[in-house]
Amino acid sequence: FCTIQQALGIAANGDTILVRAGSYTSFSANGKAVTLRGEGCTTTRIVGQPTGPAAHVVNTGGTFVLSGLRLEGGNPALL
């Protein structure tokens, strides 16, 4: 997938999404209980816009895990 949002769109609860090193745009994970696993917080980053969060996680119905990636920018970085 080209974006994290695309991968989240087809992910099922309990899935792990592996995120290669690089910079990605912000995403929204409404209703998803998944793991986003990056290749490392120094090489994998999610960059938010000044007026919104880098990651928006709402009503997952389970556990949402961010691992091995860095949230940058955004206001706030995580919502």
Side-chain angles (χ1 to χ4, degrees):
F1 300 97
C2 294
T3 68
I4 292 172
Q5 192 66 57
Q6 288 174 327
L8 284 168
I10 67 156
N13 287 341
D15 283 354
T16 297
I17 298 169
L18 302 176
V19 184
R20 292 199 170 262
S23 295
Y24 298 89
T25 58
S26 57
F27 67 87
S28 179
N30 296 329
K32 297 289 182 169
V34 300
T35 296
L36 282 182
R37 183 171 298 139
E39 290 189 327
C41 61
T42 58
T43 59
T44 310
R45 61 192 197 126
I46 299 169
V47 181
Q49 301 299 316
T51 58
H56 187 223
V57 181
V58 177
N59 191 24
T60 64
T63 302
F64 187 90
V65 178
L66 294 172
S67 172
L69 44 83
R70 180 176 67 223
L71 301 178
E72 289 185 358
N75 186 18
L78 177 64
L79 180 61

